[in-house]
């Protein structure tokens, strides 16, 4: 077992994995530092909210036509409203993290609405 070079092949494999890990970590950190500014751009949030509104309107509205229950639309509208309100607070205005809290609550309510809509349809 020792003579066939198994341990050397394992050592080379581990060394290669270590090298790949180090290079990937450096690339990942560099990507995060350069992309971080882009994700704080208000336009990214506005576009994302627009997509959420369009998908919510389509999916939840379609659900009402399919099953006739209005509750998913009501909960989804509340969630979207919270997200719209949160976007008006902005990042730099010092609201003690309320923007993040309201966004997370709104997204959670919207997800709940889509889950209720799915359950009512299936």
């Amino acid at each position: 077992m020792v003579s066939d070079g198994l341990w050397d092949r394992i050592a080379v494999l581990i060394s290669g994995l270590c090298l790949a890990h180090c290079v990937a970590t450096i690339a990942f950190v560099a990507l995060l530092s350069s992309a971080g500014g882009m994700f704080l751009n208000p336009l990214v949030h506005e576009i994302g909210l627009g997509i959420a509104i369009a998908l919510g309107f389509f999916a939840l509205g379609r659900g009402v036509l399919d099953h006739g229950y209005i509750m998913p639309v009501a909960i989804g509208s509340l969630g979207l409203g919270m997200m719209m309100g949160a976007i008006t607070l902005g990042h730099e205005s010092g609201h003690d993290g309320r923007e993040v809290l309201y966004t997370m609550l709104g997204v959670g309510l919207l997800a709940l609405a889509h889950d209720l809509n799915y359950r009512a349809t299936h």
Side-chain angles (χ1 to χ4, degrees):
M1 186 167 163
V2 174
S3 63
D4 69 355
L6 175 66
W7 296 109
D8 289 320
R9 289 193 307 260
I10 290 173
V12 169
L13 175 66
I14 291 173
S15 297
L17 290 173
C18 180
L19 176 64
H21 165 75
C22 292
V23 171
T25 301
I26 291 169
F28 182 68
V29 169
L31 177 68
L32 282 179
S33 66
S34 64
M38 180 187 75
F39 290 122
L40 291 177
N41 186 343
L43 186 59
V44 171
H45 296 106
E46 293 164 6
I47 291 171
L49 182 61
I51 292 170
I53 291 170
L55 287 174
F57 177 76
F58 176 75
L60 296 173
R62 180 75 183 160
V64 170
L65 295 176
D66 287 346
H67 53 67
Y69 297 119
I70 196 78
M71 184 62 73
V73 172
I75 293 173
S77 297
L78 177 61
L80 286 169
M82 289 183 80
M83 292 165 62
M84 285 186 259
I87 207 169
T88 64
L89 295 175
H91 288 302
E92 294 84 22
S93 46
H95 294 289
D96 301 326
R98 285 185 280 162
E99 178 205 8
V100 174
L101 176 66
Y102 293 144
T103 300
M104 289 172 45
L105 288 172
V107 168
L109 285 172
L110 186 57
L112 173 65
H114 283 293
D115 183 58
L116 292 173
N117 193 48
Y118 176 80
R119 289 174 190 245
T121 304
H122 293 89

